Amino acid sequence: MADHDESLKQTYDVVAGDYVAHIFDELRHKPFDRQLLDEFAARVGRDAVVCDLGCGPGHVARYLRERGVNVLGIDLSPSMIEQARRLTPAIPFREGDMRALDAADSAWGGIVAFYSIVHIPKPALPDLFREWRRVLAPGGLLLLSFHIGTDTVHRDEWWGHDVSIDFLFFQTAEVIEALQSGGLAIERVVERDPYPDVEYQSRRAYIIATAAAP
Ligand SMILES: C[S@@+](CC[C@H](N)C(=O)[O-])C[C@H]1O[C@@H](n2cnc3c(N)ncnc32)[C@H](O)[C@@H]1O
């Protein structure tokens, strides 16, 4: 594993417990996100397998499961996966790399990925989305969110831990272009301002895309 990946994994391992304390409950304060997830759950139904990619402690997966979705979760960080399993034992969570998925072609009816692309360099996005397209069944649904902007935010400290991590922000148009390059069809794009006192104060984008038949 490259140094960057190892460092990223170690960072999320170190902050996993604090991530639970700060983020696990966040959907309670985010009605817009809940509405999008409700719509996503209604569309994918109960039969399709859905994957929460870069699931962290698994709160989004858990929200979907509570709405009847057959969901699993994958994350690079073993400690995040440990937290996710502890918090929601009914969901199969496993370690994995969303850039090279251990899933068969067309295996999943849906992918949800909230802020999971935040460490992916822009030039790597089309290949990432091509891989997601590979594992989505024809007509499969993607719900993706990310921070809008042109900045890279570097942090040396995170919840009292010494870290070195970059968070990448994206322009909506460049993510749309990368999704299309990866073979996904854009269905809906929504942006919103941050909820005050609830989350990092960045504007956010949500994209719903579908996997067209090959
Ligand atoms: C900003 S957190 C978002 C977590 C969660 N989706 C949420 O909404 O709170 C990014 C997550 O992506 C995971 N991650 C980063 N790169 C990954 C990769 N290549 N494959 C799988 N997970 C990855 C990290 O370990 C981390 O848990």
Side-chain angles (χ1 to χ4, degrees):
M1 186 174 276
D3 288 352
H4 171 265
D5 290 3
E6 194 50 48
S7 160
L8 191 61
K9 194 187 219 181
Q10 280 171 14
T11 297
Y12 278 103
D13 279 351
V14 164
V15 301
D18 296 285
Y19 202 96
V20 171
H22 287 88
I23 308 281
F24 191 73
D25 199 29
E26 67 168 1
L27 287 172
R28 203 152 60 86
H29 310 289
K30 298 187 175 188
F32 179 81
D33 300 50
R34 291 202 307 270
Q35 188 189 329
L36 284 180
L37 288 167
D38 289 348
E39 289 168 12
F40 179 85
R43 279 189 62 185
V44 293
R46 291 171 176 264
D47 296 332
V49 175
V50 168
C51 186
D52 181 358
L53 282 179
C55 61
H59 54 297
V60 172
R62 178 173 161 140
Y63 185 87
L64 290 173
R65 184 180 164 91
E66 286 169 351
R67 273 136 200 91
V69 177
N70 181 10
V71 64
L72 62 97
I74 291 178
D75 200 281
L76 195 64
S77 153
S79 298
M80 283 293 198
I81 291 299
E82 203 180 303
Q83 293 286 353
R85 286 177 178 153
R86 179 182 66 79
L87 289 159
T88 318
I91 296 178
F93 289 104
R94 63 176 190 253
E95 288 172 41
D97 188 335
M98 63 185 176
R99 295 163 299 185
L101 290 162
D102 55 350
D105 294 0
S106 305
W108 298 338
I111 290 175
V112 62
F114 273 24
Y115 308 104
S116 312
I117 64 168
V118 74
H119 308 295
I120 303 288
K122 274 168 214 153
L125 284 178
D127 280 348
L128 175 74
F129 295 143
R130 204 165 291 119
E131 174 64 353
W132 295 8
R133 165 70 190 86
R134 178 186 71 75
V135 297
L136 278 174
L141 207 57
L142 167 67
L143 173 57
L144 169 75
S145 72
F146 56 92
H147 301 277
I148 301 171
T150 51
D151 300 342
T152 296
V153 174
H154 179 80
R155 296 189 72 163
D156 291 315
E157 183 274 338
W158 196 3
W159 292 319
H161 303 282
D162 290 335
V163 299
S164 177
I165 187 167
D166 288 333
F167 295 90
L168 278 58
F169 290 29
F170 300 98
Q171 301 277 31
T172 304
E174 65 197 5
V175 177
I176 289 174
E177 196 180 325
L179 285 163
Q180 289 168 332
S181 303
L184 289 149
I186 307 301
E187 191 174 285
R188 189 175 164 205
V189 180
V190 201
E191 298 183 357
R192 71 160 171 84
D193 286 328
Y195 289 111
D197 306 323
V198 169
E199 59 190 1
Y200 185 82
Q201 293 300 289
S202 61
R203 195 165 160 78
R204 283 113 198 279
Y206 298 79
I207 299 182
I208 295 166
T210 54

